[in-house]
Amino acid sequence: WTCMASDLQFHAVLPLDEVVDSTGAGDFFAGGFLSAWLQQETRSECVCWGTSAAKAVLQIFGTDLGAHGWSQLASSCESASGPKK
């Protein structure tokens, strides 16, 4: 759920098959969401970026995605947003 003024929206998110470690998931969600927000993406897109970031960190132990993990995360956010504005 997101709410801006009186505009309440539900955003469905597919669950992961397996969670390795939940450390940092909330921080990663917030970072992804705010990154999209600062680029003036829609709320749905912000949720998508936040969810992608949280899912990335939920699938590893700890919070170090490594270079490959960060690259995959960036690609997933770019593909979700479509072409650059």
Side-chain angles (χ1 to χ4, degrees):
W1 292 96
T2 60
C3 185
M4 180 176 282
S6 62
D7 182 22
L8 184 64
Q9 294 179 5
F10 176 76
H11 306 272
V13 177
L14 296 175
L16 287 174
D17 291 332
E18 179 182 2
V19 172
V20 174
D21 182 10
S22 64
T23 303
D27 293 334
F28 270 67
F29 178 87
F33 185 97
L34 292 172
S35 179
W37 183 264
L38 291 171
Q39 294 182 52
Q40 299 179 345
E41 298 288 351
T42 65
R43 274 192 282 167
S44 291
E45 218 36 58
C46 293
V47 170
C48 182
W49 284 34
T51 300
S52 293
K55 284 183 174 184
V57 79
L58 286 166
Q59 296 178 73
I60 62 169
F61 185 78
T63 58
D64 185 1
L65 298 181
H68 181 69
W70 283 110
S71 177
Q72 284 184 316
L73 177 55
S75 294
S76 71
C77 291
E78 287 171 6
S79 65
S81 297
K84 294 271 183 203
K85 296 178 182 176

